[in-house]
Amino acid sequence: MNEPITNLWSVPLLVMIPILTAIVVNLLYNKARAIRVISIGAAIAVLAISVVSPYGFHWFAGHPAVNADGTYTFTASVFSWKLSLEYYYGPLQQILIAVTSLLLLFVVVIATKSLSKNYGPYVAIVFLTYVSAAAVIMTNDFYNLWIAVELGSLLVAGLVASSGTGYAQKAALKYTFFSALAGSGLAISLGLILGITGYANITDAIHFLMTNDLGGMHAVLYVAFAFLALAWVYAGGLIPVHPLKSDVYRSAFPHATVLLQAQSKLMLVAIGIVLLRMFGALPFAREVMLSISVLTMIIGIVMALIQTDFRWTLAYIIVSHSGLVTVGLSLGTYKGIVGGLFQAVNDIIYMSILLLCCEMLLYFGKGTSIKFNGGIAKKSPWLAAFVILGTFAASGIPPFNGFQSELIIIQAALEQSLPEVAAVVLMVSISTFIALFRAVYSIFLKPGEDHPVRQSEAKRFEIPTTVFVFLSVLLAISFVLGVYPQLALGFLTESALKVVFVPWVP
Amino acid sequence: MGSIDSLYDRVKRYLTSFFAGEGSTDAITGYSSGELQMTVFFMVLAAMFRVFMIPLGIVLLLVATILIAYFAPIIRTVDRENSSDLNRVLFWVIIYFSIILAVTLWGR
């Protein structure tokens, strides 16, 4: 499917359609019907483009494309005027953008149904958040990486603040404060790399580092790594920024958190891969990444265990499982990277199931507190079934997708002679089940406070048809990937091979 | 009452002392699991230093066990340090950044 395309038609469309949609729906402001039609149409369009698009490069201002063997499609004379701004659309980008596009469609449908005012700006922010996620995973240069991360962090704040509560606005403000720190960090990293190598393009910079001796300037590379790692930690919500990120996850509407957590995973994967490609050979670089990941996993899950609200529990589990994604990447081996990438795909899917169930609890007007709920299973057995199966998927119980990716990560850790990391992954998996099932039992399975007779007579909570369909689709994907993981692995292996063996190829 | 029983009692007493009312609640389940999780994690972390030197791993494992037994329950500290207070997060970010930089420069 690799076409000798130098300017792939689909790349600008994946970026420009959501941007144009954001502008239009913002102008339409409160015209609900028009906004709904346009936004759903745009979401379907980007989903279709991401699925049917061939693989290839898109250059801004004529950057030469890179072949699989690391050579360029253009002649050497072109090198003199290339501007280094480049997007790449490959199998990894395809699966991640397609899954995010599917979630965008679900989020847009729910948002345009559930909101009562300010449709336009809210839907515009939703689309722009999608753009930041799509751009970050496609880019092969530090300029676009920086822009996508900066844009992404501001939009996260916007999406959270839009939920309207004082708590959410506070969380958004705190997150924005740190965006200045992480954004500047990435900019400094970009500046240092540009200063040492002369290239902002990642492929070119790696080529330069491999073919030139930096001599005394080597230390600058370590500083660049540290700043880029800081941006990675911030964008993905890894420790020690996780309290701010979990605040963000739990303060936004759950349907918005579906998109936020997908965006975070794409940021983690994109920047994580850049860190591996660019700095993977530095001593201790992978160890630093692994330490951050393991700590995030543990602190995230421990904090999830002690929460008394389902939204908060989910927020910390998202943080913890972000660590699971980055553990795989940080191992740096072919199997580890495949496991990390697969975990990112799976995590986006099963957390979306749980978040949509959470959205339904709010829709029923019951709240998400563990303390003051109970008996929802009797009133909405389908929702109980979805949340229990979602819990199984998140806890790595077969036959769901979480099992497959966690198994690959555990195998990769064992192959690296790191049984301790494998043990921590297992601990997280088991604790995820405890944390989630604690909440599921209290909210869904524990008898409610109503009198038993009155409870059975009480009106049932009906899940809206659209949400029922979305939950069924996500659960079906989770099940299919659990039974037949090759469906997703086929998209991920090429990227993992490139990172390990030909890191200069995007 | 054997020694295991009394250790269990001690941990349980520590944990239940945070909560008024019943001894077993939703919260106590979470805090107990969290405490165990952290305990095991610190031990695993200490043992991981075997990668550099096996005796170092053994010594650190013993030290970690003693420290955990002395400072338990540690879950309250973890809970406190995880507040979203800006100053606290900024403090940890600076510490983290220093560690990343120091470790990678040391690796050189």
Side-chain angles (χ1 to χ4, degrees), chain A residues 174 177-178 222 225-226 239 242 247 283-284 294-295 298-299 301-302 305 370 417 419-420 427 431 438 442, chain B residues 26 30 34 37-38 40-41 44 48 50 75 82-84 86 89-90 92-93 96-97 100-101 103-104 107-108:
Chain A
K174 282 187 205 170
F177 277 140
F178 268 81
Y222 296 100
F225 165 74
I239 195 166
H242 65 286
D247 258 8
F284 292 128
V294 169
L295 279 170
I298 285 293
I299 299 293
I301 200 63
V302 166
L305 280 168
I370 290 175
S417 303
E420 294 87 352
M427 277 159 60
S431 299
R438 234 179 99 233
S442 300
Chain B
D26 288 336
Q37 180 89 281
M38 287 308 296
V40 173
F41 173 65
V44 168
M48 209 169 166
R50 66 162 180 90
I75 187 74
N82 271 275
S83 82
S84 58
L86 264 182
V89 178
L90 193 59
W92 283 113
V93 167
Y96 251 68
F97 185 65
I100 293 171
L101 208 56
V103 166
T104 44
R108 184 163 65 103

Side-chain angles (χ1 to χ4, degrees), chain B:
Chain B
M1 206 158 54
S3 59
I4 294 173
D5 197 12
S6 58
L7 177 65
Y8 169 75
D9 280 346
R10 195 175 149 222
V11 171
K12 194 179 169 189
R13 208 166 36 250
Y14 261 133
L15 293 168
T16 48
S17 66
F18 304 130
F19 304 98
E22 278 186 63
S24 65
T25 61
D26 288 336
I28 213 80
T29 319
Y31 275 88
S32 315
S33 312
E35 178 74 12
L36 285 171
Q37 180 89 281
M38 287 308 296
T39 305
V40 173
F41 173 65
F42 281 125
M43 288 183 169
V44 168
L45 201 63
M48 209 169 166
F49 280 82
R50 66 162 180 90
V51 174
F52 302 106
M53 205 191 292
I54 291 174
L56 179 67
I58 294 169
V59 170
L60 286 178
L61 184 59
L62 283 171
V63 170
T65 312
I66 293 163
L67 287 177
I68 288 164
Y70 187 75
F71 287 109
I74 41 179
I75 187 74
R76 299 295 286 186
T77 315
V78 176
D79 193 5
R80 193 174 58 245
E81 290 302 324
N82 271 275
S83 82
S84 58
D85 174 49
L86 264 182
N87 287 338
R88 204 180 286 272
V89 178
L90 193 59
F91 169 76
W92 283 113
V93 167
I94 291 167
I95 298 279
Y96 251 68
F97 185 65
S98 317
I99 292 172
I100 293 171
L101 208 56
V103 166
T104 44
L105 279 171
W106 179 44
R108 184 163 65 103

Side-chain angles (χ1 to χ4, degrees), chain A residues 4 40 45 91 105 123 147 162 181 184 194 269 272 324 383 397 417 429-430 440 451 457 465 475 485:
Chain A
I40 291 175
L105 177 62
V123 175
I147 291 164
S162 310
L181 195 75
S184 313
L194 202 58
V269 167
L324 207 51
L383 188 63
I397 295 174
S417 303
S429 186
I430 294 164
V440 169
H451 188 273
E457 288 170 356
T465 314
L475 199 62

Side-chain angles (χ1 to χ4, degrees), chain A residues 77-97:
Chain A
S77 59
V78 181
F79 274 54
S80 56
W81 53 269
K82 68 184 173 188
L83 293 177
S84 298
L85 305 182
E86 178 183 56
Y87 275 15
Y88 173 67
Y89 192 79
L92 172 68
Q93 286 74 10
Q94 184 170 39
I95 189 166
L96 285 174
I97 292 178

Side-chain angles (χ1 to χ4, degrees), chain A residues 185-332:
Chain A
L186 219 164
I188 292 170
S189 183
L190 155 69
L192 293 175
I193 291 166
L194 202 58
I196 300 172
T197 65
Y199 296 109
N201 184 283
I202 296 167
T203 299
D204 294 333
I206 296 169
H207 264 302
F208 183 89
L209 292 177
M210 291 175 85
T211 51
N212 292 279
D213 180 22
L214 290 180
M217 296 296 284
H218 223 85
V220 178
L221 209 55
Y222 296 100
V223 182
F225 165 74
F227 274 112
L228 194 58
L230 189 67
W232 184 56
V233 159
Y234 169 78
L238 302 179
I239 195 166
V241 185
H242 65 286
L244 301 181
K245 196 76 175 186
S246 56
D247 258 8
V248 158
Y249 289 143
R250 70 193 180 198
S251 308
F253 291 123
H255 68 256
T257 308
V258 167
L259 204 59
L260 292 177
Q261 57 101 17
Q263 187 227 35
S264 282
K265 300 288 161 18
L266 264 65
M267 295 263 178
L268 280 176
V269 167
I271 305 176
I273 285 180
V274 171
L275 280 168
L276 279 180
R277 289 172 62 201
M278 190 82 199
F279 306 104
L282 291 185
F284 292 128
R286 278 187 292 165
E287 284 78 356
V288 166
M289 291 169 70
L290 192 61
S291 310
I292 294 171
S293 309
V294 169
L295 279 170
T296 305
M297 273 202 304
I298 285 293
I299 299 293
I301 200 63
V302 166
M303 291 307 294
L305 280 168
I306 61 178
Q307 301 307 317
T308 52
D309 189 291
F310 192 36
R311 280 170 91 172
W312 293 23
T313 305
L314 288 181
Y316 277 108
I317 287 177
I318 295 169
V319 166
S320 175
H321 285 213
S322 297
L324 207 51
V325 172
T326 51
V327 158
L329 293 177
S330 308
L331 287 170

Side-chain angles (χ1 to χ4, degrees), chain A residues 38-56:
Chain A
I38 290 170
S39 56
I40 291 175
I44 292 172
V46 288
L47 175 61
I49 291 167
S50 66
V51 172
V52 302
S53 168
Y55 303 143

Side-chain angles (χ1 to χ4, degrees), chain A residues 15-26 38 42 127-128 131:
Chain A
V15 177
M16 288 314 296
I17 289 176
I19 290 178
L20 289 174
T21 310
I23 294 169
V24 172
V25 295
N26 198 29
I38 290 170
F127 270 93
L128 291 174
V131 171

